Amino acid sequence: MGATGKPRRVAVVAHAKKTLDGGLDELRKLIADEDVDELLWYEVPKSRKAPKKARKAAEAGADLVFVWGGDGTVQRCLDALAGTGTTAAIVPAGTANLLASNLDIPRDLAEAVRIGFRGDRRDLDLGRVNGEHFAVMAGAGFDAAMIGEADRDLKDRVGRLAYVWTGLRHMRDGAVGVRIRVDGTGWFDGKASCVLIGNVGTITGGIEAFDDARPDDGWLEVGVATADGAVQWARTLGRMAASRSDRSPFVRITRAKKIDVRFAEPVTYELDGGERGTTRRLKTKVRPGAVTVCVPRPGPA
Protein backbone atom coordinates (compact mmCIF):
# COMPACT_ATOMS: atom_id res chain seq x y z
CA MET A 1 0.00 0.00 0.00
CA GLY A 2 1.11 3.55 -0.66
CA ALA A 3 1.67 6.25 1.95
CA THR A 4 -1.95 7.38 1.53
CA GLY A 5 -3.25 3.89 2.16
CA LYS A 6 -4.25 3.39 -1.48
CA PRO A 7 -3.07 0.29 -3.38
CA ARG A 8 0.05 1.03 -5.43
CA ARG A 9 -0.51 -1.75 -7.93
CA VAL A 10 -4.02 -2.87 -8.91
CA ALA A 11 -5.00 -5.80 -11.12
CA VAL A 12 -8.21 -6.74 -12.91
CA VAL A 13 -9.09 -10.35 -13.75
CA ALA A 14 -12.20 -10.19 -15.92
CA HIS A 15 -14.45 -12.76 -17.54
CA ALA A 16 -14.78 -10.94 -20.87
CA LYS A 17 -18.24 -12.37 -21.63
CA LYS A 18 -19.85 -11.01 -18.46
CA THR A 19 -21.54 -7.61 -18.43
CA LEU A 20 -22.39 -5.01 -15.81
CA ASP A 21 -23.45 -1.38 -16.22
CA GLY A 22 -20.98 0.40 -18.56
CA GLY A 23 -18.81 -2.68 -18.97
CA LEU A 24 -15.06 -3.12 -18.75
CA ASP A 25 -14.36 0.29 -20.29
CA GLU A 26 -16.18 1.92 -17.41
CA LEU A 27 -14.34 -0.28 -14.92
CA ARG A 28 -10.99 0.82 -16.35
CA LYS A 29 -12.03 4.49 -16.10
CA LEU A 30 -13.25 4.17 -12.52
CA ILE A 31 -9.98 2.56 -11.46
CA ALA A 32 -7.93 5.16 -13.35
CA ASP A 33 -9.79 7.89 -11.45
CA GLU A 34 -8.29 6.47 -8.24
CA ASP A 35 -4.81 7.47 -9.39
CA VAL A 36 -3.12 4.10 -8.82
CA ASP A 37 0.54 3.68 -9.77
CA GLU A 38 0.04 0.68 -12.05
CA LEU A 39 -2.91 -1.23 -13.48
CA LEU A 40 -2.47 -4.86 -14.55
CA TRP A 41 -5.27 -6.00 -16.87
CA TYR A 42 -6.21 -9.61 -17.65
CA GLU A 43 -9.27 -10.71 -19.63
CA VAL A 44 -10.23 -14.37 -19.96
CA PRO A 45 -12.86 -16.05 -22.20
CA LYS A 46 -14.03 -18.50 -19.52
CA SER A 47 -13.78 -18.85 -15.75
CA ARG A 48 -11.40 -21.79 -15.82
CA LYS A 49 -8.77 -19.51 -17.37
CA ALA A 50 -8.98 -17.05 -14.47
CA PRO A 51 -6.79 -18.77 -11.82
CA LYS A 52 -3.63 -18.48 -13.89
CA LYS A 53 -4.17 -14.73 -14.27
CA ALA A 54 -5.00 -14.27 -10.59
CA ARG A 55 -1.78 -16.04 -9.61
CA LYS A 56 0.11 -13.91 -12.12
CA ALA A 57 -1.33 -10.75 -10.56
CA ALA A 58 -0.31 -11.87 -7.07
CA GLU A 59 3.19 -12.80 -8.23
CA ALA A 60 3.49 -9.37 -9.88
CA GLY A 61 2.90 -7.76 -6.50
CA ALA A 62 -0.67 -6.53 -6.94
CA ASP A 63 -2.03 -5.14 -3.69
CA LEU A 64 -5.62 -5.42 -4.89
CA VAL A 65 -7.24 -7.66 -7.51
CA PHE A 66 -10.66 -6.78 -8.90
CA VAL A 67 -12.48 -9.96 -9.95
CA TRP A 68 -15.09 -9.25 -12.65
CA GLY A 69 -17.48 -12.11 -13.30
CA GLY A 70 -19.91 -14.57 -11.84
CA ASP A 71 -19.59 -17.14 -9.08
CA GLY A 72 -17.34 -19.41 -11.13
CA THR A 73 -14.81 -16.68 -11.82
CA VAL A 74 -14.87 -15.49 -8.20
CA GLN A 75 -14.42 -19.02 -6.84
CA ARG A 76 -11.51 -19.82 -9.13
CA CYS A 77 -9.76 -16.53 -8.38
CA LEU A 78 -10.15 -16.90 -4.61
CA ASP A 79 -8.82 -20.45 -4.94
CA ALA A 80 -5.71 -19.02 -6.62
CA LEU A 81 -5.33 -16.08 -4.19
CA ALA A 82 -5.76 -18.13 -1.00
CA GLY A 83 -2.75 -17.69 1.25
CA THR A 84 -1.04 -15.09 -0.98
CA GLY A 85 -1.92 -12.04 1.11
CA THR A 86 -3.40 -10.31 -1.94
CA THR A 87 -6.78 -8.65 -1.37
CA ALA A 88 -9.71 -9.41 -3.69
CA ALA A 89 -12.49 -6.99 -4.67
CA ILE A 90 -15.57 -8.61 -6.20
CA VAL A 91 -17.39 -7.01 -9.13
CA PRO A 92 -20.59 -9.13 -9.35
CA ALA A 93 -21.19 -9.41 -13.09
CA GLY A 94 -22.75 -12.90 -13.05
CA THR A 95 -26.21 -14.42 -12.63
CA ALA A 96 -26.45 -15.49 -9.00
CA ASN A 97 -23.43 -13.68 -7.47
CA LEU A 98 -23.71 -15.84 -4.36
CA LEU A 99 -20.66 -14.63 -2.44
CA ALA A 100 -21.26 -10.98 -3.32
CA SER A 101 -24.87 -11.26 -2.13
CA ASN A 102 -23.83 -12.83 1.16
CA LEU A 103 -21.30 -10.03 1.69
CA ASP A 104 -23.81 -7.27 0.72
CA ILE A 105 -21.78 -6.22 -2.33
CA PRO A 106 -24.37 -4.76 -4.74
CA ARG A 107 -24.62 -5.40 -8.47
CA ASP A 108 -23.56 -1.82 -9.11
CA LEU A 109 -20.23 -1.19 -10.81
CA ALA A 110 -19.40 2.20 -9.30
CA GLU A 111 -20.29 0.99 -5.80
CA ALA A 112 -18.30 -2.25 -6.22
CA VAL A 113 -15.24 -0.22 -7.20
CA ARG A 114 -15.77 2.17 -4.30
CA ILE A 115 -15.91 -0.80 -1.92
CA GLY A 116 -12.69 -2.11 -3.45
CA PHE A 117 -10.83 1.10 -2.67
CA ARG A 118 -12.64 2.41 0.41
CA GLY A 119 -14.50 -0.51 1.94
CA ASP A 120 -13.44 -2.65 4.87
CA ARG A 121 -11.09 -5.61 4.50
CA ARG A 122 -12.45 -8.88 5.84
CA ASP A 123 -10.52 -12.13 6.24
CA LEU A 124 -12.77 -14.95 5.05
CA ASP A 125 -12.60 -18.66 5.65
CA LEU A 126 -12.50 -20.96 2.65
CA GLY A 127 -13.43 -24.59 2.43
CA ARG A 128 -11.05 -26.93 0.62
CA VAL A 129 -12.59 -29.98 -0.99
CA ASN A 130 -10.82 -32.51 -3.18
CA GLY A 131 -7.90 -30.09 -3.60
CA GLU A 132 -9.89 -26.94 -4.51
CA HIS A 133 -11.16 -24.01 -2.44
CA PHE A 134 -14.73 -22.75 -2.28
CA ALA A 135 -16.12 -19.64 -0.61
CA VAL A 136 -19.86 -20.35 -0.65
CA MET A 137 -20.62 -24.06 -0.73
CA ALA A 138 -19.85 -27.51 -2.00
CA GLY A 139 -22.82 -29.67 -2.89
CA ALA A 140 -23.61 -33.11 -4.22
CA GLY A 141 -26.78 -34.82 -5.34
CA PHE A 142 -29.97 -32.86 -6.02
CA ASP A 143 -28.27 -29.47 -5.66
CA ALA A 144 -25.40 -30.25 -8.02
CA ALA A 145 -27.63 -31.90 -10.63
CA MET A 146 -29.87 -28.84 -10.58
CA ILE A 147 -26.88 -26.54 -11.17
CA GLY A 148 -25.28 -28.76 -13.77
CA GLU A 149 -28.34 -28.80 -15.99
CA ALA A 150 -29.35 -25.15 -15.61
CA ASP A 151 -29.20 -24.08 -19.25
CA ARG A 152 -26.74 -21.20 -19.78
CA ASP A 153 -29.05 -19.38 -22.21
CA LEU A 154 -31.95 -19.80 -19.78
CA LYS A 155 -29.85 -18.34 -16.95
CA ASP A 156 -29.03 -15.35 -19.12
CA ARG A 157 -32.75 -14.75 -19.81
CA VAL A 158 -34.40 -15.44 -16.45
CA GLY A 159 -31.52 -15.48 -13.97
CA ARG A 160 -32.09 -17.44 -10.75
CA LEU A 161 -35.41 -18.84 -11.98
CA ALA A 162 -33.37 -21.14 -14.22
CA TYR A 163 -32.25 -23.02 -11.10
CA VAL A 164 -35.84 -23.37 -9.93
CA TRP A 165 -36.91 -24.72 -13.31
CA THR A 166 -34.19 -27.37 -13.42
CA GLY A 167 -34.71 -28.12 -9.74
CA LEU A 168 -38.33 -29.06 -10.36
CA ARG A 169 -37.15 -31.57 -12.95
CA HIS A 170 -34.84 -33.23 -10.41
CA MET A 171 -37.27 -33.51 -7.50
CA ARG A 172 -38.01 -37.11 -8.48
CA ASP A 173 -34.33 -38.14 -8.44
CA GLY A 174 -33.68 -40.93 -5.96
CA ALA A 175 -31.55 -40.84 -2.82
CA VAL A 176 -28.19 -42.63 -2.58
CA GLY A 177 -26.30 -44.22 0.28
CA VAL A 178 -24.10 -41.72 2.15
CA ARG A 179 -21.72 -41.90 5.11
CA ILE A 180 -20.56 -38.65 6.69
CA ARG A 181 -17.88 -38.19 9.34
CA VAL A 182 -17.45 -34.79 11.00
CA ASP A 183 -14.20 -34.04 12.84
CA GLY A 184 -13.41 -37.76 12.95
CA THR A 185 -16.78 -38.91 14.31
CA GLY A 186 -19.55 -40.72 12.46
CA TRP A 187 -22.53 -38.38 12.04
CA PHE A 188 -24.76 -39.72 9.25
CA ASP A 189 -25.17 -43.14 7.67
CA GLY A 190 -28.15 -43.63 5.39
CA LYS A 191 -29.76 -42.53 2.17
CA ALA A 192 -29.71 -38.87 1.18
CA SER A 193 -30.73 -36.90 -1.88
CA CYS A 194 -28.49 -33.90 -1.22
CA VAL A 195 -25.37 -33.09 0.81
CA LEU A 196 -24.26 -29.48 1.28
CA ILE A 197 -21.15 -28.07 2.93
CA GLY A 198 -21.58 -24.33 3.41
CA ASN A 199 -19.48 -21.34 4.37
CA VAL A 200 -22.32 -18.78 4.15
CA GLY A 201 -26.06 -18.77 4.77
CA THR A 202 -27.67 -18.16 1.37
CA ILE A 203 -27.04 -20.59 -1.48
CA THR A 204 -28.30 -21.22 -5.01
CA GLY A 205 -31.65 -19.70 -5.89
CA GLY A 206 -31.58 -17.45 -2.83
CA ILE A 207 -32.34 -20.36 -0.46
CA GLU A 208 -31.46 -19.71 3.20
CA ALA A 209 -29.88 -23.10 3.84
CA PHE A 210 -27.63 -22.34 6.82
CA ASP A 211 -29.23 -19.82 9.15
CA ASP A 212 -26.27 -19.51 11.54
CA ALA A 213 -23.40 -19.59 9.04
CA ARG A 214 -20.67 -16.93 9.07
CA PRO A 215 -17.79 -16.92 6.57
CA ASP A 216 -15.24 -15.90 9.20
CA ASP A 217 -16.01 -18.08 12.23
CA GLY A 218 -13.56 -20.89 11.46
CA TRP A 219 -16.31 -23.46 10.85
CA LEU A 220 -18.14 -25.03 7.93
CA GLU A 221 -21.82 -25.94 8.02
CA VAL A 222 -22.85 -29.45 7.00
CA GLY A 223 -26.35 -30.26 5.81
CA VAL A 224 -27.89 -33.48 4.58
CA ALA A 225 -31.36 -33.74 3.05
CA THR A 226 -33.21 -37.04 3.07
CA ALA A 227 -36.22 -35.78 1.11
CA ASP A 228 -37.06 -38.25 -1.63
CA GLY A 229 -39.45 -37.28 -4.41
CA ALA A 230 -41.43 -34.19 -5.32
CA VAL A 231 -43.79 -34.19 -2.32
CA GLN A 232 -41.10 -34.40 0.34
CA TRP A 233 -38.89 -31.86 -1.48
CA ALA A 234 -41.81 -29.45 -1.74
CA ARG A 235 -42.36 -29.78 2.03
CA THR A 236 -38.64 -29.27 2.69
CA LEU A 237 -38.30 -26.17 0.52
CA GLY A 238 -41.52 -24.76 1.93
CA ARG A 239 -40.28 -25.16 5.50
CA MET A 240 -36.93 -23.60 4.58
CA ALA A 241 -38.71 -20.61 3.09
CA ALA A 242 -41.04 -20.16 6.08
CA SER A 243 -38.63 -20.73 8.96
CA ARG A 244 -35.27 -22.30 9.77
CA SER A 245 -34.00 -25.03 7.45
CA ASP A 246 -33.08 -27.33 10.34
CA ARG A 247 -36.74 -27.50 11.39
CA SER A 248 -37.59 -29.66 8.40
CA PRO A 249 -37.98 -33.37 9.25
CA PHE A 250 -35.96 -34.16 6.13
CA VAL A 251 -32.92 -32.00 6.99
CA ARG A 252 -30.03 -32.46 9.44
CA ILE A 253 -27.45 -29.74 10.02
CA THR A 254 -24.27 -29.50 12.08
CA ARG A 255 -20.92 -27.74 11.84
CA ALA A 256 -17.36 -29.00 11.68
CA LYS A 257 -13.81 -28.20 10.67
CA LYS A 258 -13.23 -31.45 8.77
CA ILE A 259 -15.91 -33.34 6.83
CA ASP A 260 -15.52 -36.64 5.02
CA VAL A 261 -18.47 -37.62 2.81
CA ARG A 262 -18.54 -41.00 1.05
CA PHE A 263 -21.22 -41.99 -1.46
CA ALA A 264 -22.30 -45.51 -2.37
CA GLU A 265 -22.17 -44.55 -6.06
CA PRO A 266 -20.73 -41.68 -8.12
CA VAL A 267 -22.71 -38.45 -7.78
CA THR A 268 -22.44 -35.04 -9.42
CA TYR A 269 -20.88 -32.35 -7.25
CA GLU A 270 -20.43 -28.58 -7.49
CA LEU A 271 -18.40 -25.77 -5.97
CA ASP A 272 -19.95 -22.30 -5.60
CA GLY A 273 -22.48 -23.05 -8.33
CA GLY A 274 -20.01 -24.59 -10.80
CA GLU A 275 -20.33 -28.24 -11.78
CA ARG A 276 -17.25 -30.40 -11.24
CA GLY A 277 -18.29 -33.79 -12.64
CA THR A 278 -18.83 -36.89 -10.50
CA THR A 279 -17.19 -38.25 -7.36
CA ARG A 280 -17.71 -40.84 -4.65
CA ARG A 281 -16.05 -38.74 -1.95
CA LEU A 282 -15.95 -35.15 -0.69
CA LYS A 283 -12.98 -34.74 1.65
CA THR A 284 -13.28 -31.23 3.07
CA LYS A 285 -11.64 -29.00 5.65
CA VAL A 286 -11.90 -25.33 6.58
CA ARG A 287 -9.03 -22.89 6.04
CA PRO A 288 -9.69 -20.05 8.50
CA GLY A 289 -8.92 -16.55 7.22
CA ALA A 290 -7.53 -17.90 3.95
CA VAL A 291 -8.30 -14.83 1.82
CA THR A 292 -8.99 -11.12 2.30
CA VAL A 293 -12.01 -9.63 0.52
CA CYS A 294 -13.25 -6.03 0.29
CA VAL A 295 -16.68 -5.56 1.89
CA PRO A 296 -18.98 -2.56 2.54
CA ARG A 297 -18.35 -0.60 5.69
CA PRO A 298 -21.22 -0.96 8.17
CA GLY A 299 -23.54 1.99 8.40
CA PRO A 300 -24.34 3.81 11.63
CA ALA A 301 -26.21 1.74 14.21
XYZ file of all heavy atoms in Angstrom, residues 136-174:
298
model
N -18.440 -20.304 -0.954
C -19.865 -20.346 -0.650
C -20.287 -21.732 -0.198
O -20.768 -21.919 0.921
C -20.705 -19.902 -1.867
C -22.200 -20.013 -1.569
C -20.349 -18.475 -2.259
N -20.115 -22.730 -1.055
C -20.616 -24.056 -0.726
C -20.030 -25.112 -1.653
O -19.564 -24.818 -2.755
C -22.140 -24.107 -0.872
C -22.582 -23.847 -2.292
S -24.378 -23.912 -2.515
C -24.487 -23.496 -4.267
N -20.061 -26.330 -1.178
C -19.848 -27.512 -2.004
C -21.105 -28.353 -1.858
O -21.654 -28.473 -0.761
C -18.619 -28.290 -1.544
N -21.581 -28.904 -2.955
C -22.817 -29.675 -2.888
C -22.777 -30.884 -3.786
O -22.077 -30.894 -4.802
N -23.519 -31.895 -3.411
C -23.606 -33.115 -4.217
C -25.023 -33.653 -4.163
O -25.736 -33.488 -3.171
C -22.621 -34.174 -3.713
N -25.433 -34.270 -5.261
C -26.780 -34.820 -5.336
C -27.734 -33.872 -6.032
O -27.413 -33.285 -7.066
N -28.909 -33.683 -5.439
C -29.968 -32.856 -6.025
C -29.465 -31.465 -6.386
O -29.683 -30.961 -7.485
C -31.124 -32.765 -5.024
C -32.205 -31.771 -5.393
C -33.238 -32.128 -6.240
C -32.185 -30.487 -4.878
C -34.231 -31.221 -6.577
C -33.173 -29.569 -5.199
C -34.200 -29.942 -6.058
N -28.758 -30.824 -5.460
C -28.266 -29.467 -5.661
C -27.329 -29.380 -6.862
O -27.468 -28.509 -7.715
C -27.537 -29.005 -4.395
C -26.712 -27.756 -4.616
O -27.316 -26.671 -4.655
O -25.485 -27.869 -4.749
N -26.373 -30.294 -6.941
C -25.399 -30.248 -8.024
C -26.022 -30.602 -9.371
O -25.673 -30.012 -10.399
C -24.247 -31.208 -7.722
N -26.951 -31.555 -9.377
C -27.627 -31.904 -10.632
C -28.455 -30.731 -11.142
O -28.507 -30.453 -12.345
C -28.523 -33.131 -10.419
N -29.083 -30.011 -10.216
C -29.872 -28.841 -10.576
C -28.979 -27.785 -11.223
O -29.314 -27.208 -12.259
C -30.533 -28.270 -9.328
C -31.300 -26.986 -9.528
S -32.054 -26.398 -7.979
C -30.617 -25.874 -7.058
N -27.811 -27.537 -10.636
C -26.883 -26.540 -11.166
C -26.296 -26.987 -12.485
O -26.187 -26.217 -13.437
C -25.770 -26.268 -10.136
C -26.342 -25.456 -8.981
C -24.593 -25.540 -10.776
C -25.416 -25.328 -7.803
N -25.920 -28.256 -12.569
C -25.275 -28.755 -13.772
C -26.138 -28.683 -15.008
O -25.634 -28.503 -16.122
N -27.456 -28.788 -14.835
C -28.342 -28.801 -15.986
C -29.070 -27.475 -16.215
O -29.892 -27.377 -17.113
C -29.362 -29.937 -15.841
C -28.716 -31.306 -15.987
C -29.738 -32.419 -16.114
O -30.927 -32.117 -16.377
O -29.353 -33.579 -15.935
N -28.761 -26.479 -15.389
C -29.351 -25.155 -15.615
C -28.789 -24.599 -16.918
O -27.613 -24.307 -17.026
C -29.041 -24.221 -14.443
N -29.627 -24.507 -17.921
C -29.199 -24.079 -19.250
C -28.615 -22.668 -19.216
O -29.201 -21.752 -18.644
C -30.410 -24.115 -20.199
C -30.036 -23.691 -21.604
O -29.500 -24.525 -22.346
O -30.279 -22.517 -21.939
N -27.421 -22.496 -19.820
C -26.742 -21.197 -19.785
C -27.583 -20.103 -20.417
O -27.681 -18.989 -19.906
C -25.384 -21.303 -20.474
C -24.531 -20.045 -20.332
C -23.148 -20.269 -20.893
N -22.470 -21.351 -20.218
C -21.816 -21.221 -19.072
N -21.760 -20.040 -18.478
N -21.202 -22.237 -18.511
N -28.215 -20.393 -21.558
C -29.053 -19.385 -22.209
C -30.248 -19.020 -21.334
O -30.659 -17.866 -21.258
C -29.530 -19.879 -23.577
C -28.398 -19.984 -24.573
O -27.388 -19.266 -24.385
O -28.509 -20.765 -25.528
N -30.820 -20.053 -20.665
C -31.954 -19.796 -19.784
C -31.531 -18.923 -18.613
O -32.256 -18.011 -18.214
C -32.540 -21.125 -19.282
C -33.823 -21.045 -18.450
C -34.956 -20.448 -19.269
C -34.203 -22.423 -17.929
N -30.335 -19.170 -18.051
C -29.849 -18.341 -16.952
C -29.681 -16.893 -17.388
O -29.960 -15.967 -16.637
C -28.521 -18.893 -16.422
C -28.650 -20.134 -15.561
C -27.416 -20.383 -14.742
C -26.236 -20.767 -15.587
N -25.048 -21.072 -14.767
N -29.212 -16.706 -18.614
C -29.034 -15.349 -19.123
C -30.372 -14.629 -19.251
O -30.453 -13.413 -19.057
C -28.330 -15.372 -20.489
C -26.867 -15.768 -20.368
O -26.318 -15.656 -19.260
O -26.282 -16.196 -21.381
N -31.448 -15.376 -19.582
C -32.752 -14.746 -19.809
C -33.533 -14.539 -18.524
O -34.146 -13.502 -18.328
C -33.586 -15.594 -20.787
C -33.044 -15.646 -22.198
C -34.125 -16.123 -23.159
N -34.690 -17.408 -22.796
C -34.194 -18.584 -23.182
N -33.116 -18.631 -23.933
N -34.773 -19.708 -22.833
N -33.533 -15.529 -17.632
C -34.402 -15.444 -16.454
C -33.639 -15.479 -15.136
O -34.245 -15.486 -14.070
C -35.473 -16.563 -16.477
C -36.328 -16.454 -17.707
C -34.836 -17.953 -16.387
N -32.321 -15.536 -15.184
C -31.522 -15.484 -13.966
C -31.742 -16.667 -13.052
O -31.727 -17.823 -13.481
N -31.995 -16.378 -11.747
C -32.090 -17.440 -10.749
C -33.254 -18.379 -10.987
O -33.249 -19.513 -10.507
C -32.221 -16.820 -9.358
C -30.990 -16.047 -8.926
C -31.156 -15.493 -7.544
N -29.988 -14.734 -7.129
C -29.850 -14.188 -5.923
N -30.817 -14.328 -5.030
N -28.771 -13.512 -5.606
N -34.277 -17.950 -11.708
C -35.407 -18.836 -11.981
C -34.987 -20.069 -12.772
O -35.663 -21.096 -12.732
C -36.503 -18.082 -12.738
C -37.278 -17.025 -11.936
C -38.269 -16.314 -12.840
C -37.986 -17.663 -10.757
N -33.860 -19.977 -13.483
C -33.370 -21.136 -14.224
C -33.062 -22.289 -13.276
O -33.301 -23.457 -13.597
C -32.114 -20.767 -15.019
N -32.549 -21.970 -12.080
C -32.254 -23.016 -11.103
C -33.544 -23.654 -10.577
O -33.605 -24.856 -10.317
C -31.447 -22.434 -9.942
C -30.087 -21.910 -10.346
C -29.785 -20.567 -10.217
C -29.114 -22.754 -10.866
C -28.540 -20.068 -10.577
C -27.871 -22.270 -11.232
C -27.590 -20.935 -11.084
O -26.362 -20.441 -11.439
N -34.552 -22.835 -10.384
C -35.837 -23.366 -9.929
C -36.417 -24.311 -10.964
O -36.906 -25.402 -10.650
C -36.820 -22.219 -9.636
C -38.183 -22.766 -9.237
C -36.265 -21.309 -8.541
N -36.366 -23.902 -12.225
C -36.906 -24.723 -13.307
C -36.223 -26.086 -13.365
O -36.878 -27.128 -13.425
C -36.741 -23.984 -14.638
C -37.173 -24.777 -15.830
C -36.377 -25.394 -16.744
C -38.524 -25.049 -16.246
N -37.133 -26.025 -17.705
C -38.442 -25.833 -17.422
C -39.771 -24.700 -15.736
C -39.584 -26.272 -18.084
C -40.902 -25.146 -16.405
C -40.795 -25.915 -17.569
N -34.890 -26.089 -13.360
C -34.189 -27.374 -13.421
C -34.365 -28.148 -12.126
O -34.387 -29.385 -12.126
C -32.697 -27.168 -13.709
O -32.156 -26.248 -12.759
C -32.475 -26.616 -15.101
N -34.499 -27.431 -11.001
C -34.709 -28.115 -9.739
C -35.999 -28.907 -9.726
O -36.051 -30.027 -9.218
N -37.058 -28.357 -10.284
C -38.335 -29.062 -10.355
C -38.195 -30.366 -11.126
O -38.828 -31.369 -10.794
C -39.387 -28.159 -11.011
C -39.816 -26.931 -10.194
C -40.716 -26.032 -11.033
C -40.519 -27.354 -8.908
N -37.350 -30.363 -12.153
C -37.154 -31.574 -12.948
C -36.414 -32.652 -12.167
O -36.539 -33.837 -12.471
C -36.370 -31.233 -14.225
C -37.179 -30.417 -15.225
C -36.286 -29.694 -16.214
N -35.263 -30.551 -16.764
C -34.207 -30.097 -17.439
N -34.051 -28.799 -17.613
N -33.312 -30.936 -17.920
N -35.644 -32.261 -11.143
C -34.841 -33.229 -10.406
C -35.470 -33.656 -9.083
O -34.886 -34.459 -8.357
C -33.441 -32.663 -10.149
C -32.548 -32.743 -11.343
N -31.877 -33.894 -11.703
C -32.247 -31.818 -12.286
C -31.170 -33.667 -12.795
N -31.379 -32.418 -13.180
N -36.649 -33.154 -8.771
C -37.267 -33.507 -7.499
C -37.581 -34.991 -7.381
O -37.734 -35.511 -6.283
C -38.549 -32.684 -7.297
C -38.301 -31.300 -6.752
S -39.846 -30.467 -6.336
C -39.208 -28.982 -5.550
N -37.688 -35.674 -8.515
C -38.011 -37.107 -8.480
C -36.761 -37.979 -8.474
O -36.853 -39.205 -8.460
C -38.907 -37.477 -9.677
C -40.248 -36.745 -9.675
C -41.149 -37.207 -10.810
N -42.376 -36.438 -10.848
C -43.451 -36.685 -10.089
N -43.428 -37.687 -9.242
N -44.528 -35.926 -10.167
N -35.566 -37.353 -8.488
C -34.333 -38.144 -8.443
C -34.254 -38.892 -7.112
O -34.618 -38.379 -6.059
C -33.108 -37.234 -8.591
C -33.014 -36.629 -9.988
O -33.860 -36.971 -10.835
O -32.092 -35.836 -10.227
N -33.754 -40.106 -7.150
C -33.683 -40.933 -5.958
C -32.520 -40.592 -5.054
O -31.552 -39.953 -5.451
